[in-house]
């Protein structure tokens, strides 16, 4: 096993760890360790809501979650010799739930998927699903099942939802300026257009005193992906993946977290993956001056992982850029993918699932989402590929009609 450079006591909040993680991006957060290129190491990770979601049949915890506390990132890890303009090469060697533990915290043998209430972050389909719901998933090796979604069993593509390098002060300032400009266009929108810096709930690693207070006022929230990588939620960043991350500060300052047992393309419910704590084994190297040499100046590039489920048959749903009110949109791939998701949800209800169960399933299962046509005016075309083998009944259309049955229910808020 690689050396553990960041350890987590899963019985304690991330505000009460011996070495605290961080849930904001800021260049002044000090590294917890410095390694040489070629080093392999392990990061232990806490699940993204710090153990406040419970293994039960109520979604009141999802309804009441405090978004100011996410995500607890393990790190930063500095890489010796890394300078702005380099590319940090990161290999995902291994990843999994909390080893050899069962207990009350996600990652200890189980995980969860949630639909966020519209008033508290919402999701891709929040106008259709404004209330909070939840599904608990049990882990059986690489396989997940849920009492809240009976009839479904699938192999997950385990991955870190969030991995990235620290921004420079200049880059951080640009993030905050452009996101503030967006918020100003509709400051009262629910859910908001973006999340500005917020000292409440901030944890900044080993920063203390005045340095902490100053950084907390300007540090960027971790919810969106940005130039440094961040919360990209790419399900194929799994075992075997190699990521080339831009370096903006000395040492690179690599951090990761938000581990997912499984996820569909898009993580469409916002808490759409199967969330868990666990471990992440990484290897690091450097390409000097790689950002300019390869033109990787605004976002990472990567090789996808080489370990994933072997599903060979999919039922594919199509969406076009005509919104739910019948209004024509011009090559709007976001609308097209939304319609593909809604078409899949409507289809699954014919087999006995509630719309909320179907929505949770599409967030967690290894579906594939694609922008299939983006040039044929006026309609963009998006597709959603649903593996047929994850069901213990036949979901393919036939002359016999759908096999509707009592499929139970997901957890809901009161």
């Amino acid at each position: 096993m690689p050396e553990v450079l960041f350890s987590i006591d899963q019985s304690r909040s991330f505000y009460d760890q011996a070495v605290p993680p961080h849930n904001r991006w800021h260049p002044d957060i000090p590294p917890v360790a410095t390694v040489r290129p070629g080093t392999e190491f392990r990061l232990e990770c806490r699940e993204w809501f710090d153990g406040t979601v419970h293994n039960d049949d109520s979604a009141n915890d999802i309804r009441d979650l405090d978004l100011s506390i996410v995500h607890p990132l393990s790190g930063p890890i500095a890489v010796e010799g890394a300078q702005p303009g380099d590319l940090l090469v990161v290999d995902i060697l291994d990843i999994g739930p909390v080893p050899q533990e069962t207990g009350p915290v996600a990652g200890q043998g189980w995980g969860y998927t949630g639909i966020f209430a519209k008033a508290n972050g919402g999701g891709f389909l929040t106008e259709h699903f404004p209330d909070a719901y939840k599904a608990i998933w049990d882990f059986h090796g690489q396989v997940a099942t849920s009492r809240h979604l009976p009839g479904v069993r699938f192999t997950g593509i385990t991955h870190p939802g969030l991995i990235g390098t620290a921004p420079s002060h200049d880059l951080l300032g640009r993030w905050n300026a452009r996101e503030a400009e967006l918020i100003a266009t509709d400051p009262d929108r629910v859910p908001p257009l973006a999340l500005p810096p917020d000292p409440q709930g901030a944890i900044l690693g080993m920063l203390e005193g005045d340095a902490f207070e100053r950084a907390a006022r300007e540090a960027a929230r971790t919810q969106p992906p940005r130039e440094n990588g961040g919360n990209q939620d790419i399900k194929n960043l799994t075992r075997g993946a190699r990521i080339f991350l831009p370096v903006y500060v000395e040492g690179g300052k690599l951090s990761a977290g938000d581990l997912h047992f499984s996820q569909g393309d898009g993580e469409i419910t916002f808490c759409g993956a199967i969330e868990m704590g666990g471990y992440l084994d990484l290897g690091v190297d450097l390409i000097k001056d790689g950002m300019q040499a390869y033109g990787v100046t605004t976002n990472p590039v990567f090789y996808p992982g080489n370990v994933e489920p072997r599903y060979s048959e999919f039922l594919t749903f199509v969406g076009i850029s005509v919104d739910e009110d019948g209004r024509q949109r011009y090559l709007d791939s976001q609308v097209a993918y939304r319609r593909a998701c809604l078409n899949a949800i409507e289809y699954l209800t014919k087999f006995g699932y509630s719309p909320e169960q179907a929505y949770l399933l599409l967030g967690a299962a290894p579906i594939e989402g694609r922008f299939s046509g983006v040039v044929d005016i006026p309609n963009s075309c998006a597709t959603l590929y649903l593996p047929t083998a994850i069901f213990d009944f036949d979901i393919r259309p036939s002359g016999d009609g759908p096999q509707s049955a009592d499929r139970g229910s997901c957890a809901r808020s009161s």
Side-chain angles (χ1 to χ4, degrees), residues 124 319-321 329-339 370-374 380-382:
F124 189 52
I320 59 173
S321 52
R329 301 296 185 93
Y330 177 74
L331 295 181
D332 191 329
S333 296
Q334 188 89 345
V335 169
Y337 192 54
R338 187 171 76 226
R339 296 305 303 273
R370 303 178 186 176
F371 290 159
S372 299
V374 294
S380 179
C381 176

Side-chain angles (χ1 to χ4, degrees), residues 65-339:
L65 287 172
D66 179 4
L67 278 173
S68 73
I69 71 171
V70 299
H71 306 80
L73 302 183
S74 299
I77 306 297
V79 178
E80 194 173 292
Q83 295 292 333
D86 296 343
L87 285 177
L88 184 61
V89 184
V90 181
D91 289 313
I92 298 181
L93 305 174
D94 200 6
I95 182 173
V98 181
Q100 299 176 322
E101 288 188 24
T102 59
V105 179
Q108 295 178 320
W110 64 279
Y112 64 89
T113 302
I115 297 173
F116 266 44
K118 180 179 179 181
N120 191 28
F124 189 52
L125 305 178
T126 194
E127 301 302 328
H128 299 269
F129 297 92
D131 300 317
Y133 291 84
K134 181 177 74 179
I136 300 297
W137 299 88
D138 294 312
F139 303 156
H140 317 275
Q142 292 180 287
V143 172
T145 62
S146 174
R147 65 182 182 270
H148 295 125
L149 278 161
V152 173
R153 179 183 181 92
F154 55 79
T155 301
I157 309 180
T158 309
H159 61 280
L162 203 159
I163 186 167
T165 52
S168 65
H169 283 280
D170 177 68
L171 183 58
L172 175 63
R174 282 186 275 140
W175 289 353
N176 288 338
R178 75 192 186 198
E179 291 172 24
E181 184 178 358
L182 175 63
I183 292 168
T185 64
D186 190 357
D188 299 320
R189 186 179 186 270
V190 177
L193 289 170
L195 298 171
D198 182 3
Q200 178 179 335
I203 185 168
L204 299 173
M206 301 299 288
L207 272 184
E208 297 178 338
D210 291 343
F212 176 93
E213 297 299 328
R214 181 177 63 255
R217 291 191 298 269
E218 60 189 23
R221 306 283 287 276
T222 56
Q223 274 85 339
R226 298 187 181 93
E227 288 89 335
N228 67 327
N231 196 28
Q232 299 175 115
D233 290 314
I234 300 171
K235 74 179 193 299
N236 301 99
L237 288 180
T238 186
R239 294 176 188 87
R242 170 169 284 188
I243 315 164
F244 302 85
L245 290 161
V247 173
Y248 297 103
V249 300
E250 183 177 354
K253 294 187 177 179
L254 174 71
S255 300
D258 188 29
L259 303 190
H260 298 160
F261 187 86
S262 180
Q263 182 201 295
D265 281 338
E267 200 189 9
I268 59 176
T269 75
F270 183 44
C271 183
I274 300 179
E275 306 287 348
M276 67 174 193
Y279 70 93
L280 178 63
D281 291 348
L282 301 174
V284 293
D285 210 334
L286 278 178
I287 298 177
K288 298 300 294 179
D289 301 316
M291 288 176 64
Q292 193 62 41
Y294 288 99
V296 181
T297 57
T298 57
N299 294 98
V301 296
F302 69 96
Y303 302 144
N306 53 17
V307 178
E308 60 184 44
R310 295 182 178 179
Y311 294 117
S312 59
E313 182 181 84
F314 300 84
L315 185 60
T316 302
F317 299 88
V318 175
I320 59 173
S321 52
V322 176
D323 70 19
E324 295 90 316
D325 295 324
R327 291 176 295 186
Q328 181 70 62
R329 301 296 185 93
Y330 177 74
L331 295 181
D332 191 329
S333 296
Q334 188 89 345
V335 169
Y337 192 54
R338 187 171 76 226
R339 296 305 303 273

